[in-house]
Amino acid sequence: MLTLLAVFAVASLLLPLLVSWIGARAFAVAALVPAAAFVHLVVLTPQVLAGSADPAFVPRESIDWIPQLGLSLSFRLDELSWLLALIVTGVGALVLLYCRWYFRGSKEGIGQFAAVLLAFAGAMYGLVTTDDLVLLVMFWELTSILSYLLIGHYHRRGASRRAALQALLVTTLGGLAMFIGVVFLAVDAGTSSMSRILASAPTGPLVDAAIVLLLVGALSKSAIFPFHFWLPGAMAAPTPVSAYLHAAAMVKAGIYLIARFAPVFALSGPWRPITIALGVFTMLLGGVQALRETDLKRILAFGTVSQLGFFTVVLGYGTPDAMLAGLALVISHALFKSSLFLIVGVIDRQLSTRDVTEISGVGRRAPLLAISGFIAVGSMMGIPPTIGFAAKESTLAALFDESQRGSPWGIVALVGVILGSILTAAYGARFLWGAFWRKKDAAGAFMPDTEWPSPPFGFLVSPVILAFGTLVLGPLASAVTVVLYGYADDATAPGYDGSPLEPGYLALWHGLAPALFLSLGAVLLGLVLFPLTRRLGWDRRPRLLPFTAQDAYYLAMRSVDRLSVFTTSLTQRGSLPVYVGTIFVVVIAAEATALIAGGPANAQLSAWHTPVQLVVAPIMIFAGLLAIRARKRYTGVVLVSVTGLGMVVLFGTSGAPDLALTQILVETVTLVTFALVLRRLPARMGEHNASVGRVPRAILGIAAGVMMALLAIVATGSRVADPISEAFPKLAYELGHGKNVVNVALVDLRGWDTMGELSVLVLAATGVASLVFVTHRADRLSATRALPEGPRQSRRRPLVETTEGVRVQTAGDTAPRAWLVAGGNVKPENRSILLEVIVRILFHTIIVVSIYLLFAGHNAPGGGFAGGLVAGMALVMRYIAGGRWELGAAAPTDAGRLLGAGLILAVGSAVVPLFFGLAPLSSAVWEAEIPVVGHIEFVSSTFFDIGVYLVVIGLVLDVLRSLGAEVDRQTLEMRARGVDI
């Protein structure tokens, strides 16, 4: 199972490249991954069935993840997980195959779509097979994010973006509530393993609260009232997404959770009132609305809402016979509803419409498609000999028996299911009429048949297989009972007093039982209801209720927007000193409270540790005082940098060369960044806005300084235990195989901290660039393209500034090839030929030094961070010497690619050990004796350090591109328009 998850992940990453090569045909290749998982599940069937009798035979895999918290990457295939995994992989393979024809001729975005859809299939596979609740929550949220991307595939359409955001917010809100419930349940049970929790069957108020929160997550994911409104809106997605996510996979996640916990918690206080009441109401609400829709997809969407309410009632009831019938309903629904969505996709792709008023006589033009549609709708209605009939009759029999025992909730469930079945038959008939029937116009005459361009046969394969699957499984209903019997028979919640489940419960014929008459009666009444609603003009009426759940959602969103605007208007006054002052006031108040409450401090102070401190410290203090008195911004920045350079000396003389090297590089890059920003600000402070409130500022500054000094003094005597860092030298050598303790700690011993810092750097770079690149993030500096073959010295040609940006000078250009790219683009008075030549000569040497620092950092001063800063300084020199033209020639790539590649490399270094049964970020070492060179060692954490190296270079490059090159370009444009800046 873990291997299959890895295959899903790797295939998703490679799929965009495959799509770029062979186009939509790559979907057929992608379908092989879930197909292989489906075959694997089929092979495991005997072991899964044996596990129902003896849990020791249940297929399981587990790798310790966070042993301190008792968390593990554990997966388990009992009958319920096996069934849902079969649905996820089987339907997923057919949907991906269907996409091969659905997206034929399409180019924009299908690579990303294919990757996300396959990744979603992998996430759903993990969700239904994991045995750990925390891991389930992670897969749960991953499916929400991936569904957001799939629903919003047509991102240029406002409706798609709104629908995607709505689905994400609703399901994520439910997932957050569910996560709280998971924490409650895991704490109470002492484990996050679902199998152990269900085996112990915990009870109590905390468990009841946890169950309610779990149900909130399940109901939001499965579109149960009041969360139902997101599902019809999600029909803005491509039809394969609707068929897979909203019929067979994602919406089944909540149903799966209910089915998983119902055997134990069905008789707990809040369970049945929530599942049955909301399930019945959702079933009726969705059925009524489906009768009023004219869009074929929206008919199916509201029908899906109704069916999900149906499953919630039946599976939520929790008795063995209801559980068996409910699982049969899940099977039938996955087959017939995904088939119907795919049929609608064929109609939409061929006719460019889904409006039932514009389609007429398609059934006669497309008989195979129509037959498949009739079979699928017949299974949805519950007409023999489909599996839908066997499942619905078994459901009615189970609920009828419960009502006969006098169960109030059994009566409510039975009445609700009968009424819902009537509506199901009615909107099923409406779908068939809308998709395939000949229709009459306003005058009562038959409309001409709609022209039907015959689709490729492969386009029909998936919907036909799914539709006929419901027909094949009908006569095999007894075999389905055998497969699901073990799980359903265990569905005996504590206190359940019903009769045991009888083998062969699912069948096409149980005799003339009450359930048969109830089932057929519901179908007949539904077939009568449909023409009655059309005669009464039900589908042409305006909205039934003045206020709906959709309105409540938009009201809540508008309220949040208005509250945020109001809060921002109070707190964000546009004054940077006010913001900084507020932070200082909070820090002073909080720390002063802690110092006063902490009692007397046991301070241990020394006047100095080395004589160098007696020289450096006064210089730093004097520079700080001069910075206060500075009237020019750049002067103030330089004086502040003196304190940073003083720290370099202190680090260097205190036995910390790594810190000294990093500090001087950071200080230099920071100074350059300040200089880039200060170009657009007045040279003198207070030139436009004079400083006010000098006395309060002075008091606040002195208080902040005194408070930080007191904290430093108190901290020296606050340690009560030996620091863990004392063990770092030994750990660095034995575990990290390195002598540089600082570098090994960053990439190995405390790699998680470094990974978090890398994420912050990526966000910082993105944020800075987003403030400058207002309308786009197009990289106008990395436009280097491949040139025709020629002499080595002419293969790389300089960039030439044009009105459209930057391009590559080609062989046909009349301008001579220049070694210094800035020539002719920078004004003579702004150029320094000597500086350009020196920088051009030293650039490659500095890059080599940065690479040396990268690889030497494991045993000597250096590392990825220092090496990246050195490479960044080389780029800074190129920009300073020749402007944005030299920068574009020096870094012919996009900064975002470097940031992304570095982060992926770092994350990959953390994840790869998991596939070998090791903890994340575990290091491996390779040693060898090489002639002449001698003994060498290579540690896998070097790859992590390379990721750090790339992220740092990407950060510096993004800052130079945005605050440097882009600001230069905007300045030139404004001057060309006559704007005085």
Side-chain angles (χ1 to χ4, degrees):
M1 288 175 274
L2 277 168
T3 303
L4 283 172
L5 281 173
V7 171
F8 272 108
V10 173
S12 300
L13 295 175
L14 298 178
L15 200 51
L17 182 61
L18 186 61
V19 171
S20 67
W21 287 345
I22 62 176
R25 288 173 293 177
F27 283 102
V29 179
L32 296 176
V33 178
F38 182 86
V39 172
H40 176 256
L41 291 165
V42 172
V43 171
L44 288 178
T45 301
Q47 191 175 348
V48 172
L49 297 181
S52 64
D54 185 353
F57 290 99
V58 174
R60 65 181 77 231
E61 295 177 11
S62 182
I63 296 177
D64 287 340
W65 179 25
I66 309 179
Q68 295 84 347
L69 298 178
L71 299 179
S72 61
L73 303 176
S74 59
F75 297 87
R76 185 173 180 270
L77 266 184
D78 63 358
E79 287 164 314
L80 179 61
S81 297
W82 173 81
L83 172 63
L84 268 295
L86 281 174
I87 293 174
V88 167
T89 55
V91 177
L94 291 174
V95 169
L96 282 167
L97 181 64
Y98 175 89
C99 289
R100 184 257 178 269
W101 286 275
Y102 185 85
F103 287 104
R104 67 187 187 279
S106 300
K107 295 182 179 179
E108 184 177 0
I110 62 170
Q112 175 183 320
F113 178 88
V116 175
L117 186 60
L118 184 60
F120 177 86
M124 277 300 304
Y125 177 82
L127 188 151
V128 299
T129 56
T130 182
D131 186 51
D132 189 272
L133 273 174
V134 176
L135 198 58
L136 181 141
V137 172
M138 295 177 63
F139 282 119
W140 190 281
E141 296 304 326
L142 183 59
T143 58
S144 293
I145 295 171
L146 295 175
S147 69
Y148 166 78
L149 297 175
L150 291 171
I151 295 171
H153 172 67
Y154 299 122
H155 58 274
R156 299 182 185 274
R157 304 176 185 175
S160 295
R161 296 195 300 270
R162 288 192 296 272
L165 181 60
Q166 184 181 85
L168 178 67
L169 290 177
V170 173
T171 56
T172 302
L173 177 64
L176 179 61
M178 187 184 77
F179 178 63
I180 299 173
V182 165
V183 173
F184 285 175
L185 198 58
V187 170
D188 185 86
T191 178
S192 59
S193 170
M194 284 191 288
S195 57
R196 295 179 184 175
I197 291 173
L198 295 174
S200 62
T203 58
L206 184 63
V207 173
D208 287 345
I211 291 304
V212 172
L213 293 171
L214 287 174
L215 286 176
V216 170
L219 299 180
S220 65
K221 198 77 162 182
S222 291
I224 304 301
F225 180 87
F227 308 106
H228 65 286
F229 56 89
W230 71 262
L231 181 56
M235 294 302 107
T239 300
V241 174
S242 303
Y244 191 39
L245 274 68
H246 308 135
M250 189 179 82
V251 293
K252 293 291 196 307
I255 300 301
Y256 163 75
L257 197 66
I258 292 174
R260 176 63 71 192
F261 285 92
V264 172
F265 298 109
L267 295 182
S268 65
W271 184 274
R272 280 185 178 172
I274 293 176
T275 56
I276 295 177
L278 294 181
V280 167
F281 186 79
T282 303
M283 189 179 184
L284 300 179
L285 179 65
V288 168
Q289 188 60 35
L291 285 172
R292 306 181 65 252
E293 296 294 333
T294 57
D295 185 308
L296 289 174
K297 275 184 73 172
R298 287 183 64 85
I299 293 174
L300 295 180
F302 280 104
T304 301
V305 170
S306 179
Q307 292 287 307
L308 291 171
F310 189 11
F311 305 153
T312 302
V313 172
V314 179
L315 290 169
Y317 203 84
T319 58
D321 46 2
M323 293 297 293
L324 178 59
L327 294 182
L329 286 172
V330 169
I331 297 172
S332 64
H333 181 267
L335 295 173
F336 70 68
K337 189 56 68 73
S338 55
S339 174
L340 291 174
F341 270 115
L342 296 182
I343 288 171
V344 171
V346 174
I347 294 174
D348 189 18
R349 193 74 166 78
Q350 299 303 108
L351 303 180
S352 299
T353 182
R354 302 189 304 259
D355 194 324
V356 299
T357 62
E358 300 176 0
I359 303 173
S360 178
V362 170
R364 299 196 300 179
R365 299 295 187 95
L368 180 60
L369 196 68
I371 292 172
S372 301
F374 273 83
I375 293 173
V377 171
S379 183
M380 182 172 68
M381 292 181 179
I383 296 177
T386 62
I387 185 64
F389 166 76
K392 192 175 80 168
E393 186 186 19
S394 300
T395 298
L396 291 171
L399 297 179
F400 182 80
D401 291 342
E402 285 296 305
S403 65
Q404 290 295 101
R405 297 189 183 101
S407 170
W409 287 116
I411 297 173
V412 172
L414 178 64
V415 174
V417 166
I418 292 173
L419 295 176
S421 299
I422 295 173
L423 292 172
T424 300
Y427 67 70
R430 179 175 179 80
F431 175 84
L432 293 176
W433 168 81
F436 304 113
W437 228 261
R438 291 189 69 192
K439 301 179 182 65
K440 295 182 179 180
D441 55 22
F446 282 106
M447 297 169 57
D449 289 352
T450 304
E451 290 295 329
W452 178 254
S454 298
F457 178 76
F459 202 14
L460 304 178
V461 168
S462 295
V464 169
I465 290 176
L466 291 166
F468 278 85
T470 66
L471 198 61
V472 171
L473 285 181
L476 300 177
S478 297
V480 175
T481 301
V482 173
V483 173
L484 302 178
Y485 178 83
Y487 174 80
D489 194 44
D490 290 337
T492 53
Y496 173 69
D497 56 359
S499 58
L501 183 67
E502 296 180 2
Y505 187 80
L506 287 174
L508 286 179
W509 179 250
H510 288 108
L512 300 176
L516 175 64
F517 296 105
L518 291 174
S519 178
L520 296 180
V523 172
L524 294 175
L525 289 175
L527 295 177
V528 172
L529 178 62
F530 163 63
L532 182 62
T533 57
R534 292 202 61 238
R535 185 178 297 275
L536 296 176
W538 175 267
D539 54 351
R540 296 187 297 274
R541 291 187 179 183
R543 57 194 302 171
L544 298 177
L545 299 174
F547 192 79
T548 64
Q550 182 91 339
D551 298 326
Y553 167 80
Y554 285 122
L555 177 62
M557 296 304 298
R558 286 195 298 269
S559 299
V560 170
D561 292 339
R562 291 170 181 171
L563 179 61
S564 63
V565 170
F566 175 74
T567 304
T568 302
S569 65
L570 291 179
T571 58
Q572 301 294 313
R573 310 300 296 179
S575 173
L576 183 60
V578 171
Y579 302 153
V580 176
T582 302
I583 294 172
F584 281 156
V585 168
V586 173
V587 170
I588 292 170
E591 300 302 336
T593 303
L595 289 176
I596 295 172
N602 183 22
Q604 298 177 3
L605 300 177
S606 299
W608 65 84
H609 294 92
T610 62
V612 176
Q613 295 175 350
L614 294 175
V615 178
V616 175
I619 296 175
M620 296 170 63
I621 295 171
F622 185 66
L625 294 174
L626 289 179
I628 297 174
R629 302 293 300 169
R631 291 293 175 264
K632 290 188 176 181
R633 299 179 190 274
Y634 188 75
T635 303
V637 170
V638 172
L639 289 171
V640 170
S641 296
V642 172
T643 61
L645 296 176
M647 291 301 299
V648 172
V649 177
L650 295 179
F651 286 146
T653 56
S654 300
D658 265 288
L659 295 180
L661 175 62
T662 303
Q663 177 68 25
I664 193 171
L665 292 171
V666 169
E667 199 65 42
T668 306
V669 172
T670 304
L671 182 60
V672 171
T673 304
F674 269 114
L676 294 175
V677 174
L678 292 179
R679 294 183 304 165
R680 298 299 297 270
L681 296 176
R684 300 185 66 87
M685 297 182 187
E687 187 172 320
H688 293 306
N689 299 292
S691 300
V692 296
R694 293 185 177 182
V695 174
R697 291 187 183 192
I699 295 174
L700 184 60
I702 294 171
V706 171
M707 184 57 61
M708 295 308 298
L710 290 175
L711 288 176
I713 293 172
V714 172
T716 60
S718 298
R719 187 179 297 280
V720 295
D722 294 334
I724 190 175
S725 58
E726 292 181 357
F728 272 22
K730 181 179 179 181
L731 292 174
Y733 188 75
E734 294 180 354
L735 297 181
H737 303 279
K739 299 177 182 179
N740 184 348
V741 179
V742 174
N743 183 260
V744 175
L746 290 175
V747 301
D748 197 324
L749 303 180
R750 302 199 64 173
W752 285 116
D753 295 347
T754 306
M755 191 175 298
E757 292 163 3
L758 290 181
S759 303
V760 172
L761 289 179
V762 172
L763 292 175
T766 304
V768 170
S770 298
L771 291 174
V772 179
F773 293 89
V774 179
T775 58
H776 61 84
R777 286 291 306 274
D779 186 359
R780 304 188 181 194
L781 297 176
S782 58
T784 303
R785 298 186 292 270
L787 298 174
E789 293 293 332
R792 180 179 177 183
Q793 62 270 22
S794 64
R795 290 179 185 174
R796 181 70 174 275
R797 297 184 179 274
L799 303 178
V800 178
E801 180 74 1
T802 68
T803 56
E804 299 179 354
V806 177
R807 67 176 177 82
V808 177
Q809 180 179 325
T810 60
D813 290 330
T814 57
R817 181 178 179 273
W819 183 59
L820 300 177
V821 182
N825 294 302
V826 179
K827 294 181 179 180
E829 61 268 23
N830 295 334
R831 292 189 67 189
S832 171
I833 300 298
L834 181 61
L835 178 62
E836 290 183 39
V837 171
I838 293 175
V839 168
R840 186 73 160 152
I841 293 174
L842 292 179
F843 176 76
H844 298 90
T845 303
I846 297 174
I847 294 297
V848 171
V849 171
S850 76
I851 296 174
Y852 166 78
L853 290 174
L854 165 65
F855 289 102
H858 209 62
N859 294 289
F865 195 79
L869 286 173
V870 170
M873 286 305 304
L875 296 175
V876 170
M877 292 169 58
R878 290 290 292 270
Y879 171 72
I880 293 175
R884 62 188 189 277
W885 298 277
E886 280 285 344
L887 180 62
T893 186
D894 182 61
R897 295 177 182 175
L898 291 174
L899 292 169
L903 193 59
I904 290 173
L905 195 58
V907 174
S909 301
V911 173
V912 166
L914 294 174
F915 300 114
F916 298 93
L918 302 174
L921 283 172
S922 296
S923 297
V925 62
W926 293 273
E927 302 183 45
E929 294 289 341
I930 298 180
V932 181
V933 177
H935 180 77
I936 63 169
E937 293 183 0
F938 183 82
V939 186
S940 61
S941 59
T942 303
F943 293 111
F944 187 93
D945 221 11
I946 295 174
V948 176
Y949 179 81
L950 294 177
V951 168
V952 173
I953 296 177
L955 171 65
V956 176
L957 180 58
D958 220 4
V959 170
L960 292 174
R961 284 181 56 239
S962 54
L963 297 179
E966 179 64 12
V967 170
D968 291 343
R969 188 191 64 80
Q970 293 178 9
T971 301
L972 286 177
E973 286 187 355
M974 294 174 69
R975 286 175 178 170
R977 295 196 301 265
V979 179
D980 186 19
I981 57 174

